[in-house]
Amino acid sequence: MIQVSGLSKQFESTKVLNEIDLTVSKGEVIAILGPSGSGKTTLLRCLSFLENATQGFLTFNGKTYDMTRVTKKQIRSIRMKLGFVFQGFNLFRNKTALQNVTEGLTTARHISKTDAEKKAHEMLKKVGMDYRSDFYPDELSGGQQQRVAIARAIAANPEVILFDEPTSALDPELTGEVLSVMKKLAEEGTTMIVVTHEMSFAQKVASHVIFMEDGVIVEEGAARDFFAHPKEERTIRFLKKSSIDYDYSI
């Protein structure tokens, strides 16, 4: 579904990503781990063209793009098939939960208001938030806001959803409700790329795990093998310092 080759990103003299290769198959859940500053978020932002890559090629559904030469039309076409869930929710503060979900459907996809609201209610119900459809973000907890953000992302029927540390802004007691929604999406076969610090989620839900540091992929593999038999010394040290005892009822 997605293949990235030679992806690099440089900010002035700092190389944040260095020759990243990545393959994502339909239905996979890819967890990207690593210390802060390792390039994880920049990778997602380059995939969605929120950042301009310095070099690299992206193959998406059989079409290959030079990531340094994509047109606005091509970017729009790619984004129509991608969902993005940000760590800061990015909800419109002056719109209700329902309006936050319908906004993209009516403006970007030109769906009628009636159909958009029907779809939005379905997605809010899916994430357990339809009973709060008339509430504004300031009236919702962080976990509830993030579930609305997930409803917004899945309402457009994306082929891949990118999650950028979706629980990092949440109190631990609110983390479980978001991870449970993500687990449900994974069980339904949703293709996801998830930057996360939640080791339990990566261990129990991800099909493939990538460990990054200093802009490169240090190690990757099937989730079970990655956690049971890490090969690189840096990966071993990272996992020893990271707790994987959290359950959050996943």
Coordinates of all heavy atoms in Angstrom, one line a residue, residues 126-127 147 150 167 174-188 192 201 205 247-250:
K126 N -19.3 5.2 16.9 CA -18.2 4.2 16.9 C -17.1 4.4 17.9 O -16.6 3.4 18.5 CB -17.6 4.2 15.5 CG -16.6 3.1 15.1 CD -16.0 3.3 13.8 CE -15.2 2.2 13.3 NZ -15.9 1.0 12.9
V127 N -16.8 5.6 18.2 CA -15.8 5.9 19.2 C -16.4 6.3 20.6 O -15.7 6.7 21.5 CB -14.9 7.1 18.8 CG1 -14.2 6.8 17.4 CG2 -15.7 8.4 18.6
R147 N -11.0 11.3 21.0 CA -11.9 10.4 20.4 C -12.7 11.1 19.3 O -13.0 10.5 18.2 CB -12.8 9.7 21.4 CG -12.1 8.6 22.2 CD -13.1 7.8 23.0 NE -13.5 8.5 24.2 CZ -14.5 8.2 24.9 NH1 -15.4 7.3 24.5 NH2 -14.8 8.9 26.1
I150 N -10.4 11.3 16.4 CA -10.4 10.0 15.7 C -11.6 9.8 14.8 O -11.5 9.3 13.7 CB -10.2 8.8 16.7 CG1 -8.8 8.9 17.4 CG2 -10.3 7.5 15.9 CD1 -8.6 7.9 18.5
T167 N -1.8 9.8 22.6 CA -2.1 9.8 24.0 C -1.2 10.7 24.9 O -1.3 10.8 26.1 CB -2.1 8.4 24.6 OG1 -0.8 7.8 24.5 CG2 -3.2 7.5 23.9
L174 N -7.0 8.7 31.3 CA -7.7 9.0 30.0 C -7.1 8.2 28.8 O -7.8 8.1 27.8 CB -7.8 10.5 29.7 CG -8.5 11.3 30.8 CD1 -8.4 12.8 30.4 CD2 -9.9 10.9 31.0
T175 N -5.9 7.7 29.0 CA -5.2 7.1 27.9 C -5.9 5.8 27.4 O -6.0 5.6 26.2 CB -3.8 6.7 28.3 OG1 -3.1 8.0 28.6 CG2 -3.1 6.0 27.3
G176 N -6.5 5.1 28.4 CA -7.1 3.8 28.1 C -8.2 3.9 27.1 O -8.4 3.1 26.2
E177 N -9.1 4.9 27.2 CA -10.2 5.0 26.4 C -9.8 5.3 24.9 O -10.5 4.8 24.0 CB -11.2 6.1 26.9 CG -10.6 7.5 26.9 CD -11.5 8.5 27.7 OE1 -11.9 8.2 28.8 OE2 -11.8 9.6 27.1
V178 N -8.7 6.0 24.7 CA -8.3 6.3 23.3 C -7.6 5.0 22.8 O -7.9 4.7 21.6 CB -7.3 7.5 23.3 CG1 -6.7 7.6 22.0 CG2 -8.0 8.7 23.8
L179 N -6.8 4.4 23.6 CA -6.1 3.2 23.1 C -7.1 2.1 22.8 O -6.9 1.3 21.8 CB -5.1 2.7 24.1 CG -3.9 3.6 24.4 CD1 -3.0 2.9 25.4 CD2 -3.1 3.9 23.1
S180 N -8.2 2.0 23.5 CA -9.3 1.0 23.3 C -9.9 1.2 21.9 O -10.2 0.3 21.2 CB -10.3 1.0 24.4 OG -9.8 0.6 25.6
V181 N -10.1 2.5 21.6 CA -10.7 2.8 20.3 C -9.7 2.4 19.2 O -10.1 1.8 18.1 CB -11.0 4.3 20.2 CG1 -11.4 4.7 18.7 CG2 -12.2 4.7 21.1
M182 N -8.5 2.7 19.4 CA -7.5 2.4 18.4 C -7.3 0.8 18.2 O -7.2 0.3 17.1 CB -6.1 3.0 18.7 CG -6.1 4.5 18.7 SD -4.6 5.2 19.3 CE -3.4 4.6 18.2
K183 N -7.4 0.1 19.3 CA -7.4 -1.3 19.2 C -8.6 -1.9 18.4 O -8.4 -2.8 17.6 CB -7.4 -1.9 20.6 CG -7.4 -3.5 20.6 CD -7.6 -4.1 22.0 CE -7.6 -5.6 21.9 NZ -8.1 -6.2 23.2
K184 N -9.7 -1.3 18.6 CA -10.9 -1.7 17.8 C -10.7 -1.4 16.3 O -11.1 -2.3 15.5 CB -12.2 -0.9 18.3 CG -13.5 -1.3 17.7 CD -14.6 -0.5 18.2 CE -15.9 -0.9 17.5 NZ -17.1 -0.1 18.1
L185 N -10.1 -0.3 16.0 CA -9.9 0.0 14.6 C -8.9 -1.0 14.0 O -9.1 -1.5 12.9 CB -9.3 1.4 14.5 CG -10.2 2.6 14.8 CD1 -9.4 3.9 14.7 CD2 -11.4 2.6 13.8
A186 N -7.9 -1.4 14.8 CA -6.9 -2.4 14.3 C -7.6 -3.7 14.1 O -7.3 -4.4 13.1 CB -5.8 -2.5 15.4
E187 N -8.5 -4.1 15.0 CA -9.2 -5.4 14.8 C -10.1 -5.4 13.6 O -10.4 -6.5 13.0 CB -10.0 -5.7 16.1 CG -9.2 -6.0 17.3 CD -10.0 -6.0 18.6 OE1 -11.1 -5.5 18.6 OE2 -9.4 -6.5 19.6
E188 N -10.5 -4.2 13.2 CA -11.4 -4.1 12.0 C -10.5 -4.1 10.7 O -11.1 -4.0 9.6 CB -12.2 -2.8 12.1 CG -13.3 -2.9 13.2 CD -14.0 -1.6 13.4 OE1 -13.6 -0.6 12.8 OE2 -15.0 -1.6 14.2
M192 N -2.8 1.4 10.0 CA -2.4 2.6 10.8 C -0.9 2.6 11.0 O -0.2 1.6 11.1 CB -3.0 2.4 12.2 CG -4.6 2.4 12.2 SD -5.3 2.5 13.9 CE -4.9 0.9 14.5
F201 N 0.6 -0.9 24.1 CA -0.1 -0.9 22.8 C 0.7 -1.5 21.7 O 0.2 -2.3 20.9 CB -0.5 0.6 22.5 CG -1.2 0.7 21.2 CD1 -2.5 0.6 21.1 CD2 -0.4 1.1 20.0 CE1 -3.2 0.7 19.8 CE2 -1.0 1.2 18.8 CZ -2.4 1.0 18.7
V205 N -1.0 -4.7 20.1 CA -1.8 -4.3 19.0 C -1.1 -4.2 17.7 O -1.6 -4.6 16.6 CB -2.6 -3.0 19.3 CG1 -3.5 -2.6 18.1 CG2 -3.4 -3.1 20.6
D247 N -1.4 -1.8 31.1 CA -2.4 -2.6 30.4 C -3.5 -1.7 29.7 O -3.8 -1.9 28.6 CB -3.0 -3.6 31.3 CG -3.8 -4.6 30.6 OD1 -4.6 -4.3 29.8 OD2 -3.6 -5.8 30.9
Y248 N -4.0 -0.8 30.5 CA -5.1 0.1 30.0 C -6.2 -0.7 29.4 O -7.0 -0.2 28.6 CB -4.6 1.1 29.0 CG -3.5 2.0 29.5 CD1 -2.3 2.1 28.8 CD2 -3.7 2.8 30.6 CE1 -1.3 2.9 29.2 CE2 -2.7 3.7 31.0 CZ -1.5 3.7 30.4 OH -0.5 4.6 30.8
S249 N -6.4 -2.0 29.8 CA -7.5 -2.8 29.4 C -7.5 -3.0 27.9 O -8.5 -3.2 27.2 CB -8.8 -2.2 29.8 OG -8.9 -2.2 31.2
I250 N -6.3 -3.0 27.3 CA -6.2 -3.2 25.8 C -6.5 -4.7 25.6 O -6.0 -5.5 26.2 CB -4.8 -2.9 25.3 CG1 -4.5 -1.4 25.5 CG2 -4.6 -3.3 23.9 CD1 -3.1 -1.0 25.0

